[in-house]
Amino acid sequence: MCMGEREREIETFRRLITEVHPQGFVSIVSDTWDYWQVLAEYTRELQAIIMQRQGRVVFRPDSGDPVAILCGTAADDDTRSERSAEEKGSVEVLWEIFGGTINEKGYKVLDPHVGLIYGDSITLARADEILRRLEAKGFASANVVFGVGSFTYQYNTRDTFGFAMKATWGEVNGEGRALFKEPKTDNGLKRSARGLLRVERDALGELQLYDGQTLEQEQQGELKTRFLDGKLYGYASLSQIRARLAAQR
């Protein structure tokens, strides 16, 4: 999503659902920058394309409180028309735009051309709370798919060690582009570095990251090329890596 750039994000969505995946199921991470703009504005502009498409476009929020993102921040019995998309929650927003059907038990089911999947921070307690609130709002549980990962299993995540690997720079037609994720629905934890990076040691020997570097600056510092164009460079065994770490303590 980042490679398409923030200003042209809707065009990235359009390309994904018309050119890259013109039919079938496609799940799209939608919180790269402004999740509620995607869900409440982009969907309206792309509605005709989505409804004509043979398959389902699944929106994937990936930050914030899963319960609030899916079910809204307002009370479940709040039906004020002036509520914001955030107050309504994802399921209700999609229902207002795409509609759906009422199942045999009287609950609302989203039109099959759209759906939601939440795979971030889902626990059994959160899943139960989401389903309870959807029921209270008159929506069927089938409107949401849950991803089950570290939060449900052993609760050791990439954040346990503060580590995540992401692309931060790319080139399109000879033009360099800074890639970054800065979700408005997040508390800042998922805000990523952007552009070319340089790592230097400070006066205490601690590693410090500098982003937004020039090509010349990026060539300096501690970062070395290890993998490029299918080739591995500077191979180091696990014992060598351990010895290097031990020497730095």
Side-chain angles (χ1 to χ4, degrees):
M1 299 304 297
C2 303
M3 186 66 85
E5 297 187 299
R6 185 169 189 168
E7 295 75 14
R8 297 190 288 267
E9 185 182 25
I10 189 172
E11 297 308 319
T12 299
F13 275 87
R14 193 190 310 274
R15 185 176 69 86
L16 286 173
I17 64 178
T18 60
E19 299 177 25
V20 181
H21 301 285
Q23 61 184 13
F25 278 64
V26 56
S27 175
I28 307 174
V29 173
S30 306
D31 72 326
T32 303
W33 294 295
D34 189 341
Y35 173 72
W36 295 115
Q37 182 180 34
V38 170
L39 213 67
E41 297 179 24
Y42 293 176
T43 51
R44 294 184 187 277
E45 185 168 338
L46 300 172
Q47 181 182 14
I49 295 174
I50 292 173
M51 294 298 285
Q52 293 168 7
R53 186 175 174 276
Q54 297 298 311
R56 181 176 301 175
V57 177
V58 181
F59 297 93
R60 180 185 167 190
D62 199 43
S63 55
D65 178 357
V67 180
I69 296 293
L70 292 174
C71 304
T73 57
D76 296 336
D77 58 356
D78 186 346
T79 58
R80 292 175 297 117
S81 59
E82 65 270 21
R83 287 173 300 151
S84 66
E86 186 174 358
E87 289 176 313
K88 295 174 182 176
S90 302
V91 177
E92 187 175 345
V93 169
L94 289 183
W95 173 266
E96 289 184 348
I97 297 171
F98 295 95
T101 58
I102 306 297
N103 67 17
E104 65 277 7
K105 293 187 177 181
Y107 293 99
K108 291 177 280 191
V109 179
L110 288 172
D111 184 277
H113 289 90
V114 291
L116 289 157
I117 183 171
Y118 213 116
D120 178 69
S121 306
I122 295 298
T123 63
L124 291 176
R126 280 176 174 162
D128 284 342
E129 178 66 5
I130 290 167
L131 297 180
R132 183 196 65 76
R133 288 196 58 194
L134 287 179
E135 180 182 20
K137 291 165 69 77
F139 288 101
S141 60
N143 290 305
V144 177
V145 173
F146 296 126
V148 178
S150 60
F151 268 67
T152 306
Y153 292 128
Q154 76 283 7
Y155 205 78
N156 285 319
T157 77
R158 65 187 182 187
D159 300 319
T160 302
F161 296 103
F163 177 86
M165 185 176 292
K166 297 178 180 289
T168 61
W169 188 87
E171 188 174 290
V172 179
N173 297 325
E175 174 194 358
R177 295 183 180 180
L179 310 181
F180 66 98
K181 183 171 184 175
E182 193 173 22
K184 290 184 69 173
T185 46
D186 184 48
N187 60 6
L189 184 65
K190 289 196 172 185
R191 181 179 182 180
S192 64
R194 63 181 71 189
L196 295 173
L197 309 179
R198 176 170 56 90
V199 173
E200 297 278 5
R201 290 192 180 276
D202 61 20
L204 299 177
E206 297 294 326
L207 295 172
Q208 301 295 332
L209 172 67
Y210 301 90
D211 63 359
Q213 301 293 287
T214 65
L215 284 168
E216 182 179 6
Q217 291 171 325
E218 188 261 349
Q219 294 298 315
Q220 304 169 23
E222 299 291 327
L223 294 178
K224 308 299 179 186
T225 299
R226 295 302 185 191
F227 188 81
L228 178 65
D229 297 334
K231 294 182 179 180
L232 188 65
Y233 295 84
Y235 174 81
S237 67
L238 182 58
S239 59
Q240 289 174 315
I241 294 172
R242 285 172 171 166
R244 187 186 308 148
L245 289 172
Q248 295 175 7
R249 292 175 181 171

